[in-house]
Amino acid sequence: MELVKTLLLTGENNHDWKRSAPYCKNLLEESKKFEVDLTTDPSVSLADKDKLNDYNLFFVDYNGPQWVEPAKENFINAIRNGTNVCILHASNNAFDGWVEYEEICALMWRTGAGHGKYHKFDVEVTDPDHPITKGLPLVLKDHPDELYHGLSHMHNTDYHVLATAFSSIDSGGTGQGEPMVLVKNYGDGRIFHLILGHVGGGGGMDTFENRDFQTLLLRGCEWAATGDCALN
């Protein structure tokens, strides 16, 4: 099987990218399905238009300053032409006002968004027939994470939710279900947006060490890259 050539974009985040990004790189590569190049300077790495033809998947673990315009243009054009994307957690906080990126994410952390305390909660699969979730338990129990609520639906773009979680009032949430996993298409690119995925400064890596989280991340990346995924 040919490995999925992946470019992991990181280097700035309000979360601890120095732990999350290498962890994700190792997780993907240990699956024996991905080959991952990690960049901490996306503006430079994305500026080489021809080099981007090597990649089948962009993995975005970034929330920081805007990239330079050539990098942004090349990123969007590559996706429109069939490079696929994984958006991880706080990457949906990024790039306020960059319309194309907001359309790729579909749901964004903008005014009105928030989360309660870091706690364990159940993640409910709402589409058990999608390749990412097919064969998984309908409820992934006791997932430790931040539970984002009140994300903004950007520019009326389409998206499809695969899993939700109940944001309890007791935890500081909304008292309603919130999307946790979504997919969509953007041009010829497939988008996997995993809203789960908190890691703060210091402390443990409970979220990333959770087996259900790892399964969702690996399957989502495989689906984005190939249009299908093997049952794990």
Side-chain angles (χ1 to χ4, degrees), residues 132-199:
I132 294 174
T133 49
K134 189 173 184 179
L136 296 182
L138 293 179
V139 178
L140 309 178
K141 292 186 175 295
D142 295 329
H143 174 68
D145 214 326
E146 287 179 337
L147 201 167
Y148 279 9
H149 62 245
L151 299 180
S152 295
H153 180 195
M154 305 304 293
H155 313 296
N156 200 36
T157 189
D158 66 301
Y159 65 95
H160 178 60
V161 175
L162 301 186
T164 63
F166 182 73
S167 176
S168 68
I169 298 293
D170 289 346
S171 69
T174 59
Q176 61 188 27
E178 301 287 347
M180 295 291 108
V181 184
L182 65 90
V183 294
K184 61 168 286 138
N185 294 324
Y186 186 84
D188 290 335
R190 287 179 292 270
I191 314 298
F192 166 64
H193 183 172
L194 184 58
I195 296 168
L196 304 166
H198 174 76
V199 56

Side-chain angles (χ1 to χ4, degrees), residues 123-128 136-140:
V123 178
E124 181 179 355
V125 172
T126 54
D127 183 354
L136 296 182
L138 293 179
V139 178
L140 309 178

Side-chain angles (χ1 to χ4, degrees), residues 1-5 28 31-35 56 218 221-223 225-230 232:
M1 174 182 173
E2 185 176 354
L3 298 179
V4 174
K5 194 70 184 295
L28 290 171
S31 76
K32 308 301 183 185
K33 296 179 181 180
F34 300 86
E35 178 184 350
N56 186 254
L218 288 170
C221 287
E222 185 178 1
W223 170 82
T226 69
D228 203 354
C229 60
N232 294 333

